[in-house]
Amino acid sequence: MNKYIVSAASFAFLATTSSAALAADPVFYEPSPSPIMAPVSLYDWTGFYAGVNAGFGGGTYRHPLSFNGTEFLSANVTSSGFVLGGQVGYNMHFDSFVAGVEADLQWANVRGQLDLSVPAAIFPPGGDLAFGTEVNWFGTVRARLGYTPDDRMMVYGTGGFAYGGMRSYVRGTGGFAGIDESATSSRWGWTIGGGAEYAFTDALSLKTEYLYTDLGRSNIATFDLGGGDTLSIDRRVSFHTVRAGLNFHF
């Protein structure tokens, strides 16, 4: 009987102790704070920039020959050479688009020469003519409209007006022995193209660009053949350029 009394007392003591423990203040464990995410940095193309560029140019210079104002032959000269220059501009970035304006000035040696034999059946008395034209420098002022598939990458179209200085000459032998003329002048025209630009730092970007430039048609020389007849030799200058450039953004 005593054994049962001791067991009952022990059970009562344990139950009382457990109840007291359950009645004590509960312990709460706070969850670990979520990591703070750094804000995403988006590149802004807005602002002024300046840079340098270099590339290659080439095309076909046409040299139309006209007798009494009627074109009867065109000497097409294949040209090529290097270009080197600099550019300045300003961009405005809104949403995924960039609008801006850019001006550049280039040194160039895009030149070519063609030796042409003119049969007497086409233009008596016949002979040989050497045509040459070289673009020595040119510049453009263009609008640019770009799209940014990535905040640091921009693809764009561009277009505007162009100007340049060139030298042309024509020299003759045989029936054209009296022809030895040259002309140096500056011309206005237009240009259109496109490119892509990537900002690899906040201040520096690398671009590649293609432009087609047309400086129009002008006269090299007009010869009086006597009897009221004239021979005019003109030039029509257009060319392509592909270049790479480095821009510094202020």
Side-chain angles (χ1 to χ4, degrees):
M1 178 64 70
N2 291 336
K3 179 174 65 175
Y4 291 115
I5 293 173
V6 172
S7 297
S10 298
F11 178 78
F13 174 77
L14 290 173
T16 302
T17 305
S18 299
S19 299
L22 291 173
D25 293 337
V27 177
F28 295 98
Y29 296 93
E30 295 183 1
S32 300
S34 301
I36 299 175
M37 301 298 293
V40 177
S41 177
L42 297 178
Y43 185 75
D44 187 359
W45 290 90
T46 298
F48 289 96
Y49 64 89
V52 294
N53 70 79
F56 182 80
T60 300
Y61 300 154
R62 295 182 61 244
H63 295 78
L65 281 70
S66 300
F67 179 67
N68 292 338
T70 301
E71 183 179 327
F72 68 93
L73 183 66
S74 179
N76 297 328
V77 177
T78 300
S79 64
S80 62
F82 293 96
V83 299
L84 176 67
Q87 66 274 348
V88 295
Y90 181 80
N91 290 322
M92 291 184 64
H93 192 170
F94 51 95
D95 295 330
S96 297
F97 296 94
V98 178
V101 63
E102 180 175 292
D104 67 271
L105 186 62
Q106 307 290 132
W107 167 86
N109 70 336
V110 183
R111 58 188 175 184
Q113 177 176 309
L114 173 68
D115 297 319
L116 180 67
S117 293
V118 181
I122 295 178
F123 190 86
D128 296 327
L129 290 170
F131 299 87
T133 293
E134 176 181 9
V135 174
N136 304 118
W137 62 271
F138 70 95
T140 70
V141 178
R142 295 170 284 109
R144 297 202 310 171
L145 180 60
Y147 172 70
T148 55
D150 176 82
D151 63 315
R152 289 184 175 269
M153 169 65 74
M154 175 175 60
V155 293
Y156 62 89
T158 184
F161 66 89
Y163 55 97
M166 65 194 75
R167 176 180 177 272
S168 297
Y169 61 84
V170 56
R171 302 186 182 104
T173 58
F176 298 107
I179 295 178
D180 188 359
E181 297 290 335
S182 64
T184 301
S185 64
S186 299
R187 298 289 300 172
W188 293 87
W190 55 274
T191 186
I192 192 169
E197 190 167 355
Y198 181 75
F200 57 93
T201 74
D202 287 345
L204 293 174
S205 65
L206 180 68
K207 74 169 185 175
T208 58
E209 185 174 70
Y210 162 79
L211 290 178
Y212 172 78
T213 303
D214 190 329
L215 296 178
R217 179 170 175 167
S218 58
N219 180 254
I220 299 176
T222 299
F223 303 94
D224 185 357
L225 303 178
D229 294 330
T230 60
L231 172 66
S232 295
I233 302 175
D234 294 348
R235 62 186 172 191
R236 176 67 184 267
V237 175
S238 61
F239 55 95
H240 310 266
T241 54
V242 178
R243 57 191 182 181
L246 182 68
N247 283 328
F248 178 81
H249 298 259
F250 299 96

